[in-house]
C-alpha cells in the first residue's frame, strides 16, 4: 500500500496532515504522493473533489478516503481524532471499495478545439450577465431551446449537491444516470422549457449548444474547476467509463448519508 495525503490550506488541516504522516510512518506505511494506491484527503468534500482532479490519471489504481476537519462532509467518513483507528483499518485492508459514476464532459470551442473534463458531482454552464439561450439536445435530437440563468448536469452522487439546491431530484448512486436541472429558467409565450429536472438513462447524452446570436461570456464549472470562456460552441455530457473508488471501511449507506447531511439523527427531529 502506498498512501498520498492531500489536505486543504487551513492551519488545522495542515496540522492533521503532519499528525497523520507521523502515524503512517510509525506503522511502516509508505507515503507516496506521486503514485499512491490510497489517497487520504484532509478537509471537506471540496478537498476530496480537488484530490480526484489531481489523480485522474490514476483512477484505476487509487481509492479515496476522507478525513473531515470542519463540518460533516458527504464524502468524508473520518474525524481528525480518529487517525489511529484509520491507520489500523489501512493495515488490515482487504481491498473493499465502493465506486461512484463520473461525469465525462467535452467542451468544443468556436475555433474547433476541444477540452475534456471529468466531474464527481456536477458541471454547470451559466451566463455572467443577462440570460443564457441554448439548444439542449438529448442524443442527436433537439429537446428544447432553453432560456434562463443556466443548466446543471449532475451525477447521482452530485444530485445531493448544487443540483438539489436548484430543485433537482436526489438519485441513488447505483443508478448510473445523468441529471439535468434548470437554473432559473424563463417560461413565457416565446420560451418554453420542460420546467423540471430530467434523469437520463446511462447510455444517453446531453449536449448544450449556446445560440450564436446570444454569445457572451460563459461561466463553466466542473466540480471545483471554475472558468470564464467567451468561445463555447457546445458542451457534451455523458457517463464516463471510469469510476471513482472509495475505501469501504466506514463508507455508510447512501440514504444514511442523505439523512445525516440534510435531516440529522432521528433523536434531533
Amino acid at each position: 500500500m502506498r498512501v498520498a495525503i492531500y489536505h486543504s490550506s487551513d492551519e488545522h488541516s495542515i496540522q492533521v496532515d503532519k499528525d497523520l504522516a507521523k502515524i503512517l510512518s510509525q506503522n511502516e506505511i509508505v507515503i507516496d504522493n506521486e503514485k499512491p494506491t490510497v489517497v487520504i484527503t484532509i478537509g471537506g468534500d471540496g478537498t476530496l473533489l480537488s484530490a480526484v482532479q489531481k489523480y485522474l490519471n490514476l483512477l484505476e489504481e487509487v481509492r479515496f478516503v476522507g478525513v473531515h476537519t470542519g463540518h460533516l462532509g458527504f464524502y468524508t467518513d473520518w474525524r481528525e481524532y480518529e487517525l489511529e483507528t484509520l491507520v489500523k483499518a489501512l493495515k488490515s485492508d482487504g481491498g473493499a471499495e465502493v465506486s461512484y459514476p463520473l461525469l465525462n464532459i467535452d467542451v468544443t470551442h468556436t475555433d474547433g478545439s476541444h477540452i475534456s473534463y471529468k466531474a464527481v458531482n456536477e458541471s454547470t454552464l451559466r451566463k455572467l450577465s443577462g440570460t443564457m439561450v441554448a439548444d439542449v439536445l438529448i442524443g442527436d435530437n433537439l429537446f428544447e431551446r432553453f432560456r434562463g440563468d443556466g443548466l446543471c448536469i449532475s451525477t447521482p452522487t452530485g444530485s445531493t449537491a448544487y443540483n438539489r439546491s436548484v430543485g433537482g431530484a436526489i438519485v441513488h448512486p447505483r443508478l448510473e444516470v445523468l441529471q439535468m436541472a434548470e437554473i432559473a429558467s424563463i417560461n413565457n409565450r416565446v420560451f418554453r422549457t420542460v420546467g423540471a429536472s430530467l434523469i437520463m438513462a446511462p447510455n444517453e447524452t446531453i449536449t448544450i449548444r449556446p445560440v450564436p446570436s446570444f454569445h457572451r461570456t460563459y461561466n463553466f464549472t466542473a466540480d471545483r474547476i471554475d472558468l470564464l470562456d467567451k468561445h463555447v460552441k457546445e458542451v457534451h455530457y455523458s457517463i464516463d467509463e471510469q469510476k471513482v473508488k472509495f475505501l469501504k471501511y466506514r463508507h455508510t449507506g447512501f440514504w444514511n448519508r442523505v439523512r445525516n447531511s440534510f435531516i440529522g439523527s432521528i433523536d434531533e427531529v
Side-chain angles (χ1 to χ4, degrees):
M1 177 181 291
R2 301 182 304 277
V3 175
I5 308 175
Y6 187 96
H7 62 80
S8 61
S9 58
D10 64 278
E11 292 184 8
H12 182 45
S13 295
I14 293 172
Q15 182 58 53
V16 174
D17 167 81
K18 294 177 181 178
D19 295 341
L20 177 58
K22 182 178 179 180
I23 297 171
L24 289 170
S25 178
Q26 291 171 344
N27 284 270
E28 299 181 341
I29 294 178
V30 176
I31 298 176
D32 185 346
N33 290 323
E34 297 302 319
K35 293 185 177 180
T37 55
V38 171
V39 175
I40 302 175
T41 66
I42 300 173
D45 283 350
T47 305
L48 192 142
L49 294 178
S50 295
V52 172
Q53 294 295 330
K54 179 177 180 179
Y55 292 103
L56 277 178
N57 62 325
L58 296 175
L59 287 185
E60 293 296 332
E61 296 84 24
V62 167
R63 291 173 295 157
F64 294 85
V65 59
V67 175
H68 55 87
T69 53
H71 298 294
L72 181 65
F74 200 84
Y75 294 111
T76 50
D77 297 308
W78 300 80
R79 293 304 304 261
E80 69 273 17
Y81 51 78
E82 299 176 303
L83 299 181
E84 295 276 2
T85 306
L86 171 57
V87 173
K88 183 179 180 180
L90 289 173
K91 290 188 69 176
S92 60
D93 175 56
E97 65 186 42
V98 58
S99 58
Y100 293 147
L102 280 171
L103 189 61
N104 185 62
I105 311 157
D106 291 312
V107 180
T108 302
H109 294 93
T110 52
D111 64 359
S113 62
H114 298 263
I115 302 179
S116 294
Y117 303 89
K118 297 185 192 299
V120 179
N121 272 357
E122 77 276 311
S123 172
T124 64
L125 187 66
R126 293 175 286 187
K127 290 289 293 295
L128 285 182
S129 61
T131 55
M132 183 177 82
V133 180
D135 288 334
V136 177
L137 289 79
I138 298 177
D140 296 325
N141 299 313
L142 178 63
F143 177 75
E144 66 180 12
R145 174 160 288 190
F146 172 86
R147 183 164 190 163
D149 285 359
L151 292 162
C152 172
I153 313 298
S154 65
T155 65
T157 46
S159 69
T160 59
Y162 185 60
N163 167 78
R164 175 179 173 272
S165 72
V166 295
I170 294 178
V171 179
H172 195 286
R174 282 205 301 269
L175 300 173
E176 297 182 12
V177 297
L178 292 171
Q179 181 169 184
M180 182 180 76
E182 300 176 353
I183 307 171
S185 60
I186 295 174
N187 281 281
N188 52 35
R189 283 191 283 180
V190 178
F191 290 95
R192 299 297 301 172
T193 70
V194 72
S197 65
L198 301 178
I199 298 175
M200 314 291 178
N203 62 337
E204 292 186 306
T205 63
I206 300 169
T207 303
I208 302 174
R209 191 173 291 163
V211 176
S213 58
F214 289 89
H215 264 311
R216 293 179 189 150
T217 301
Y218 296 96
N219 180 203
F220 167 82
T221 69
D223 283 349
R224 302 199 85 190
I225 297 169
D226 194 338
L227 304 171
L228 298 181
D229 198 327
K230 296 181 179 179
H231 306 288
V232 175
K233 181 179 180 181
E234 68 175 34
V235 186
H236 182 77
Y237 296 96
S238 60
I239 291 293
D240 196 72
E241 294 181 356
Q242 288 186 307
K243 294 183 178 181
V244 58
K245 296 178 285 188
F246 292 83
L247 295 178
K248 203 178 180 180
Y249 307 147
R250 192 188 283 182
H251 207 71
T252 57
F254 179 75
W255 295 119
N256 286 334
R257 286 173 173 272
V258 171
R259 184 193 64 204
N260 293 338
S261 296
F262 302 118
I263 300 174
S265 68
I266 300 300
D267 293 338
E268 295 173 356
V269 177

